[in-house]
Amino acid sequence: MSGRYFEDWSVGDTIAHPIRRTVTEADNLLITTLTHNPQPLHLDAEYAKGTEFGQIVVNGTFTFALMVGISVAETTLGTLVANLGYDAVKMPKPVFIGDTLRVESEVIDLRASGSRPEAGIVTFAHRAINQRDEIVCTCTRIAMIQRGPQ
């Protein structure tokens, strides 16, 4: 377990996650077809050449899921009770096949759980950043996390 218990967090804690990931054509193809998304911008290289991007744009749901997934090891692995929600998902820059993404997370809110005395609520702000230091995806994640052993 490498996630932290509720009382181990403080507002302002920031993590630069050590895992980076280069996005592949297979990643984009799989998420797009598994979710039945027929958008030619994600699947058709000839179509994509004619867009302002000039190439295939990686499906945003992959970028979002990868960002959250990379964050898990240092935030909630082994301590998560439940993810309560995601908010304010934004994708200010496109992701392209071959981009390498890294993720940063910051604790922006902490509160005790009103329904579970053995848990607390942590709100994370996640940021995915490409190799050009451009932010490509952001969101807030509200997680119910176990309190540590007494």
Side-chain angles (χ1 to χ4, degrees):
M1 181 188 84
S2 52
R4 297 185 198 175
Y5 292 106
F6 174 73
E7 54 274 343
D8 297 331
W9 291 108
S10 297
V11 171
D13 285 350
T14 303
I15 297 169
H17 301 282
I19 293 175
R20 296 183 317 167
R21 175 78 148 62
T22 300
V23 179
T24 67
E25 184 175 12
D27 296 328
N28 184 60
L29 179 64
L30 286 171
I31 194 72
T32 302
T33 56
L34 283 170
T35 57
H36 294 279
N37 182 340
Q39 177 53 254
L41 187 59
H42 303 317
L43 294 170
D44 184 333
E46 290 304 310
Y47 173 87
K49 281 181 191 175
T51 69
E52 65 183 278
F53 305 107
Q55 61 184 309
I56 285 177
V57 174
V58 172
N59 188 316
T61 57
F62 176 80
T63 303
F64 168 72
L66 179 62
M67 177 180 67
V68 173
I70 286 174
S71 78
V72 167
E74 292 81 33
T75 58
T76 60
L77 184 64
T79 58
L80 181 74
V81 176
N83 283 314
L84 302 179
Y86 299 90
D87 197 13
V89 177
K90 296 194 181 350
M91 297 178 188
K93 296 279 187 178
V95 173
F96 302 111
I97 294 165
D99 280 354
T100 299
L101 305 183
R102 62 186 169 86
V103 175
E104 297 173 351
S105 299
E106 179 181 356
V107 175
I108 59 171
D109 190 46
L110 292 168
R111 64 183 171 87
S113 170
S115 62
R116 295 189 184 206
E118 74 281 3
I121 311 298
V122 180
T123 303
F124 297 100
H126 297 304
R127 295 176 292 280
I129 304 158
N130 67 18
Q131 72 276 9
R132 293 176 296 280
D133 289 325
E134 299 168 326
I135 295 174
V136 296
C137 188
T138 61
C139 82
T140 57
R141 173 170 64 125
I142 303 165
M144 181 179 285
I145 297 179
Q146 299 169 14
R147 290 184 180 270
Q150 299 302 323

